[in-house]
Amino acid sequence: MRLRKTRFVCVSDTHGYTPSDAGFKLPAGDVLIHAGDLTNQGSLPELRRTIEWISKADYEVKIVICGNHDITLDASFYAKYGSTFHNQRLENSEQCMEVVRAGSPSIVFLQHQSALVRLTRADGPKTIFKVFGSPYSQFTGNWAFGYESADAAALWGQIPLDADIAITHTPPHSHCDSLSTGEPVGCKALRQALSNVRPLLAVCGHVHEARGYDRVKWSSPSSTNAGPEQTEHQVMRGVLPPRESKKQNLVDLTGKKAERLDNDGYSVDADPDLSTASFTPSQNALLLPSITASTSMMPDSPQQSQTAPFPLLSSLIKDTRSDDMRFRRKETCIVNAAIVASKWPHRGGKKFHPPIVVDLELPTWTEPE
C-alpha cells in the first residue's frame, strides 16, 4: 500500500475573527479543517468575513462545518429563536447559507454529511480520504444545532463506519472536553460512536478551554456491545507548546517525530480505480448521498415528529466491515482545535490559540486509464 504524508491544519471556534485578528499566520498544509463556530451570532458580515479568509487560504481543500453559534445557518432554529438574540438584527437564513455554499470551489461544506476527497495538486501528496462532518452539539441553553440525550445514539450512529476523518463541533465525552473546573461535558454517545468507527483523526471544538489532543488506543473490537470504559485500551494526553510559544503546534502521526498512528484501516484501497467517481473537477470532492442534511433533521422543524426528532437517523449503520479492517483500526487521534482561548465574558481580555497541525499518512490514488 502506497501512503504519503498529508498535512491538516485544524481550527475551530474562530467566532468571526480572522488569523490576522488572532495574531498568527496560517501554517502551510494540504487541507484546512474548520470545526464550527465560524461566527459569534451568524450575521452576514461575520459570515462574509470568515468565508473570505477561508476561501483565500492557500490549501487545496478546506473542510467546513457549522457550530452552535452559527445560528442563521440552522434555518428552523433561527426562524423560531432568531429575534431573541442580543445585538442581532434578523437576517435571511438562505442568504447566509448561500455565503458559505458559494464561498469557493475549494470549500467542502458538510452538514451531517460525508465526502470522498481527492487531492490533485501536482506538488501535493495526491492522497484520498473519506471525511464526515456534523454541526450538532449537546449543550445547555438555547443555541443552534442542538439535540437531546435521547437522540444522541441515533445521531452519531450515522457516522460512516469507514470514515477516515470525523469532524464534529462537539467533543466526545472525556476527550478534549473538560471545562476549567475539570468537568467533562462532551457527548457520551459520540464517544461510543468513535469507538465503533475508529477513524484515524477526529476533530472538534466547542469547549474552548479543552483545546489539545488525545491519542486513544482502542481495545479489541470483538465485543460490539462493550461500553466506553471497555473499548479504550490506552489514552495518551498530548502536549503542545504553551500559547505564547512561537513553535508550531504539530501533532505527528507518521512516525517521523512521534510514534506512528496504529491505524491503517483506510476507507479506500491504495491507488483506487476512480473511473466511476463523479468528482467535481474544481473541488475534487464527491459528496456521498448516504447522509444528507435537510430541514427534517433539524430540531424544532415543523416537518418533524415529536416522537422522532431525527427521522432520517432512526437506525444505526450496520457494520459490514471485514474483521481485517476492524482489527486494523486500533487508534484514533482526537483534536480540539479551538482558536478563541476563553469563553464569554473573556475575563482578562480575549486570547487566541494558534492552529493545530496534524501530519497523517493516507493512501495515494492514480488517474484511471
Side-chain angles (χ1 to χ4, degrees):
M1 176 178 284
R2 189 179 184 189
L3 303 172
R4 283 184 183 161
K5 182 187 81 173
T6 306
R7 175 159 287 187
F8 293 84
V9 176
C10 304
V11 302
S12 183
D13 298 84
T14 53
H15 290 281
Y17 294 98
T18 68
S20 59
D21 295 330
F24 62 81
K25 293 183 179 180
L26 286 167
D30 304 301
V31 178
L32 176 70
I33 291 176
H34 196 305
D37 277 357
L38 307 165
T39 67
N40 196 42
Q41 291 193 32
S43 69
L44 269 173
E46 287 179 301
L47 284 167
R48 284 171 176 154
R49 196 161 184 252
T50 297
I51 296 303
E52 181 180 12
W53 76 255
I54 292 176
S55 297
K56 291 180 178 178
D58 186 21
Y59 304 97
E60 183 174 352
V61 170
K62 302 104 178 195
I63 305 170
V64 174
I65 65 170
C66 304
N68 59 293
H69 274 260
D70 304 317
I71 59 175
T72 57
L73 303 182
D74 185 345
S76 58
F77 170 87
Y78 191 65
K80 187 172 183 179
Y81 298 108
S83 61
T84 67
F85 281 79
H86 63 282
N87 299 329
Q88 178 71 58
R89 68 177 184 86
L90 285 175
E91 305 274 8
N92 183 307
S93 285
E94 183 55 39
Q95 188 177 7
C96 290
M97 183 63 78
E98 188 59 27
V99 169
V100 183
R101 289 175 175 158
S104 166
S106 62
I107 293 177
V108 180
F109 180 43
L110 298 177
Q111 305 173 77
H112 206 74
Q113 293 169 286
S114 56
L116 191 63
V117 177
R118 179 184 65 168
L119 301 180
T120 62
R121 278 184 179 173
D123 59 348
K126 292 192 174 181
T127 49
I128 187 167
F129 59 92
K130 186 174 183 177
V131 58
F132 169 85
S134 177
Y136 290 103
S137 299
Q138 186 176 331
F139 48 81
T140 57
N142 197 27
W143 292 96
F145 301 108
Y147 62 92
E148 301 293 336
S149 297
D151 306 316
L155 181 71
W156 300 121
Q158 287 288 315
I159 300 176
L161 291 166
D162 62 346
D164 299 303
I165 297 171
I167 307 170
T168 60
H169 185 57
T170 192
H173 189 269
S174 78
H175 294 296
C176 304
D177 70 328
S178 294
L179 301 175
S180 55
T181 60
E183 178 188 3
V185 293
C187 180
K188 292 182 178 179
L190 176 58
R191 178 185 177 186
Q192 184 63 51
L194 291 179
S195 76
N196 294 334
V197 177
R198 305 176 179 218
L200 287 76
L201 176 64
V203 183
C204 61
H206 190 50
V207 184
H208 296 188
E209 54 267 59
R211 174 189 178 270
Y213 74 96
D214 285 351
R215 291 182 61 163
V216 181
K217 291 195 175 183
W218 307 107
S219 301
S220 168
S222 57
S223 176
T224 57
N225 296 320
E229 293 77 12
Q230 287 75 48
T231 58
E232 295 180 10
H233 172 66
Q234 181 182 352
V235 178
M236 190 277 285
R237 304 287 180 185
V239 178
L240 293 170
R243 184 170 50 82
E244 299 80 6
S245 173
K246 298 299 182 182
K247 292 183 178 179
Q248 188 175 73
N249 285 234
L250 175 64
V251 180
D252 176 61
L253 304 176
T254 68
K256 184 176 181 180
K257 297 182 179 180
E259 183 182 350
R260 184 181 182 275
L261 190 77
D262 192 5
N263 189 331
D264 61 355
Y266 304 106
S267 62
V268 295
D269 294 329
D271 299 325
D273 180 3
L274 302 178
S275 58
T276 60
S278 301
F279 289 91
T280 303
S282 61
Q283 190 180 55
N284 296 336
L286 171 64
L287 285 177
L288 303 176
S290 58
I291 304 172
T292 54
S294 71
T295 55
S296 63
M297 288 173 59
M298 303 300 182
D300 301 307
S301 166
Q303 299 180 24
Q304 75 179 36
S305 163
Q306 292 299 314
T307 59
F310 299 99
L312 296 183
L313 310 176
S314 57
S315 61
L316 304 184
I317 294 175
K318 185 178 180 181
D319 193 345
T320 59
R321 293 173 295 180
S322 67
D323 286 342
D324 178 58
M325 175 185 242
R326 294 173 71 230
F327 278 91
R328 279 161 38 206
R329 292 193 163 205
K330 298 178 181 178
E331 185 179 6
T332 297
C333 182
I334 301 173
V335 173
N336 180 325
I339 293 295
V340 176
S342 60
K343 61 183 180 180
W344 189 87
H346 304 288
R347 291 182 176 86
K350 293 186 180 70
K351 297 179 176 63
F352 303 92
H353 289 298
I356 295 178
V357 179
V358 180
D359 283 348
L360 190 63
E361 288 183 318
L362 291 170
T364 59
W365 61 272
T366 56
E367 292 280 4
E369 297 180 1

